[in-house]
Amino acid sequence: MFPEAFIKRLRSDLGITEANALLETLQSPPPVTIRINPRKIKDAWKELALPIAAPLDISEYGFLLSQRPVFTNDPLFQSGCYYVQESSSMVLEHYFSYADIHPDKEFNVLDLCAAPGGKSTHLLSLLHGIPGAMLVSNEVIHSRVTILADNLSRWGDSNVVVTHNDPSDFGKLKHFFDVILIDAPCSGEGMFRKDAGAVAEWSEDNVTRCAARQRRIISDAIESLKPGGLLIYSTCTFNHFENEDNTKWTASEFGMEILEQEHLYPGKAYGEGLFMAALRMKGTSSKNFISEITRKSVTKPYYKAEIPFLREKFIPISKGNLLKAYPSDCLDRMFFIESKLKTIRSASSIATILTDRNGKTTLIPEPDLAFSEVLKRNIFPEVELTYNDISRFLRCETMTFHDSPKGYLLLTYLGHPVGFVKNIGSRANNLWPVSRRVRLSHIIDE
Ligand code: SAM
């Protein structure tokens, strides 16, 4: 079932007993694990209607489930209250702790190979509460960047710019990032457990090609790391060519120190298998020089009118008829990134600005506003829905709210905002985007 050359290499790297145990684990179904969004969920056991079996040691936000539910049917999955992620990836939390964080300095993080967004959502949770912390979440493959942007919208943090660039484009951001995560495309031996296609695609030649590509990616991005900055490198493959050989090469090529590296093999951890390493660049960083440059040079289209549903520390900016909210302590740097890279999404989209013939403006809430940290609660009238009714909403059905005020209503499920409708009395227009429509959501017998 597995390629002979793969089995042979595993046995020579790990010894026969460990390799055989690993091969056996690779044939069993993978465990199901989730990571909660700590901004939205405080007590997973009480707040999530999921079959939680145990907390995970690897992350304070991780939980093991006893079976796999249909996640897309869960309104709290749809509204970014948790992310479904294999558990070894959550070791990121430990490797991120090597980052040098100073409360009085800007803090810029790059997730270079980010789609579909597992590690970016985790990074955002780790950045939460760090003043001036900003994430650039990048994906080079066009077909994967939309799902990345969508997952980050649902997560709801506003201090993130989603970009669609080749790693070589990051050379122009010399010494900008404090932390760079390279979760590199790899030969995917860790995917063998759940993806037969990964087994079929595997070959020794592909391992060699992947290792060379990973070195190119590291070389392209490394210029943008600050002196003293942290590089976190990971793959979901087991071989040393793409892992230890590459970290050793990186350390000697760019004068870096390997702080820690490890394999998390399936069987030992609940996950599917991951290699992660932390490397520090020599030197110490100069202070906030990029912010100084950008503050002087970029003019920003501030939106002047008062926005009652916007929380205080966020700055409204209009781009065409789209109104967005930026965190005040990242605004300059987010504009700087937007000017340098191909930006797919940045900050939080909060409303579409509609101007009538007399110049009167109306703000139509953007769907992403419901998920976002920038939303001030209880400004829009809120309507808590049952599971069946929120499922109808997620299917984009037209609904009625005879007992609610006319105008925009914020719909919640178990207290969490999910989306908006415009109540016009006889019916309510559903503002859940068709692109996110949940086609298979089921209705429970009432
Ligand atoms: N970090 C993601 C997460 O946690 O959800 C998974 C990333 S996946 C292991 C590797 C990513 O690298 C994929 O999204 C893939 O599209 C992207 N990729 C493929 N070729 C690349 C290249 N030449 N340079 C940079 N990224 C590439």
Side-chain angles (χ1 to χ4, degrees):
M1 147 161 202
F2 297 124
E4 260 319 302
F6 168 69
I7 297 174
K8 203 169 148 205
R9 199 210 62 232
L10 217 53
R11 286 182 175 150
S12 103
D13 281 359
L14 299 180
I16 297 212
T17 317
E18 259 199 61
N20 286 355
L22 177 56
L23 289 166
E24 209 177 304
T25 311
L26 288 177
Q27 294 174 66
S28 64
V32 185
T33 51
I34 60 154
R35 183 172 37 73
I36 58 162
N37 184 338
R39 257 192 334 92
K40 303 190 182 199
I41 298 292
K42 302 293 171 224
D43 184 340
W45 298 87
K46 283 200 190 129
E47 293 175 62
L48 298 176
L50 291 174
I52 296 180
L56 296 173
D57 292 337
I58 202 161
S59 161
E60 63 170 311
Y61 310 129
F63 293 88
L64 175 70
L65 303 189
S66 57
Q67 52 178 290
R68 175 173 279 273
V70 182
F71 288 110
T72 49
N73 284 346
D74 183 357
L76 297 191
F77 172 74
Q78 295 292 339
S79 60
C81 289
Y82 62 92
Y83 193 93
V84 184
Q85 185 181 42
E86 67 84 29
S87 69
S88 41
S89 292
M90 301 179 203
V91 78
L92 176 62
E93 208 161 300
H94 168 68
Y95 281 81
F96 183 76
S97 69
Y98 283 107
D100 205 4
I101 299 166
H102 295 280
D104 59 331
K105 276 193 187 178
E106 64 188 31
F107 189 66
N108 303 323
V109 179
L110 169 65
D111 183 358
L112 184 63
C113 313
K119 294 187 185 66
S120 276
T121 53
H122 198 173
L123 283 169
L124 285 166
S125 299
L126 300 173
L127 295 183
H128 194 61
I130 301 173
M134 176 190 84
L135 175 68
V136 176
S137 181
N138 180 69
E139 173 56 47
V140 66
I141 306 282
H142 187 256
S143 59
R144 291 170 61 83
V145 81
T146 314
I147 180 72
L148 172 66
D150 190 60
N151 282 333
L152 294 182
S153 292
R154 292 176 202 251
W155 208 246
D157 294 73
S158 59
N159 55 338
V160 51
V161 185
V162 179
T163 60
H164 173 40
N165 284 82
D166 189 83
S168 58
D169 296 335
F170 286 82
K172 51 189 163 192
L173 298 173
K174 195 164 190 266
H175 297 175
F176 184 74
F177 293 105
D178 297 87
V179 177
I180 298 179
L181 167 63
I182 300 181
D183 188 28
C186 67
S187 61
E189 292 160 4
M191 304 301 280
F192 283 8
R193 198 166 180 192
K194 64 170 185 192
D195 181 3
V199 183
E201 275 172 31
W202 189 92
S203 69
E204 286 178 290
D205 278 355
N206 194 36
V207 168
T208 310
R209 271 196 302 275
C210 285
R213 180 169 59 176
Q214 288 148 358
R215 289 186 186 193
R216 274 201 308 279
I217 293 173
I218 296 168
S219 308
D220 282 343
I222 206 75
E223 267 286 279
S224 65
L225 186 64
K226 280 182 187 165
L230 178 70
L231 171 68
I232 303 176
Y233 174 80
S234 59
T235 72
C236 62
T237 208
F238 306 136
N239 68 75
H240 60 85
F241 304 104
E242 298 175 66
N243 296 323
E244 289 89 342
D245 292 4
N246 271 355
T247 54
K248 192 171 167 201
W249 174 83
T250 304
S252 83
E253 191 77 8
F254 305 107
M256 301 181 80
E257 180 194 356
I258 299 175
L259 304 171
E260 187 177 348
Q261 56 184 349
E262 72 185 305
H263 284 273
L264 289 100
Y265 291 112
K268 289 191 178 160
Y270 282 121
E272 285 149 23
L274 191 92
F275 171 85
M276 194 167 273
L279 297 93
R280 174 129 25 235
M281 184 61 91
K282 285 210 178 80
T284 47
S285 67
S286 53
K287 213 182 156 188
N288 294 351
F289 66 95
I290 292 287
S291 272
E292 293 310 319
I293 295 167
T294 56
R295 195 166 294 124
K296 285 185 208 134
S297 58
V298 185
T299 49
K300 301 174 185 79
Y302 293 106
Y303 187 77
K304 297 285 176 357
E306 202 204 331
I307 304 170
F309 56 79
L310 185 61
R311 288 179 54 217
E312 282 73 29
K313 66 170 192 161
F314 300 99
I315 313 282
I317 300 272
S318 57
K319 297 213 167 171
N321 65 352
L322 181 64
L323 188 58
K324 305 210 281 180
Y326 287 72
S328 51
D329 53 7
C330 300
L331 179 63
D332 294 313
R333 280 170 291 138
M334 291 176 79
F335 262 70
F336 174 71
I337 292 294
E338 288 176 31
S339 72
K340 295 284 180 195
L341 298 174
K342 187 169 176 200
T343 301
I344 301 300
R345 169 196 180 273
S346 78
S348 286
S349 298
I350 59 170
T352 301
I353 307 166
L354 211 64
T355 310
D356 70 13
R357 263 183 276 144
N358 305 319
K360 184 173 175 283
T361 55
T362 311
L363 298 183
I364 303 169
E366 277 286 303
D368 289 356
L369 175 63
F371 308 137
S372 174
E373 63 174 340
V374 310
L375 173 70
K376 191 187 269 179
R377 295 290 296 270
N378 296 310
I379 301 297
F380 291 103
E382 299 192 3
V383 183
E384 170 73 15
L385 294 190
T386 61
Y387 177 81
N388 281 353
D389 281 341
I390 202 81
S391 298
R392 291 185 179 104
F393 171 73
L394 296 174
R395 292 198 303 202
C396 295
E397 291 182 13
T398 303
M399 304 171 80
T400 53
F401 294 88
H402 295 305
D403 300 333
S404 303
K406 286 190 185 165
Y408 294 105
L409 305 176
L410 177 64
L411 305 185
T412 63
Y413 179 68
L414 301 178
H416 296 283
V418 180
F420 292 94
V421 290
K422 185 178 183 190
N423 189 15
I424 54 174
S426 55
R427 64 185 163 82
N429 294 334
N430 190 326
L431 301 189
W432 185 254
V434 175
S435 60
R436 288 185 185 146
R437 183 172 169 188
V438 181
R439 285 171 203 283
L440 295 176
S441 78
H442 71 308
I443 303 292
I444 303 169
D445 287 344
E446 277 160 336

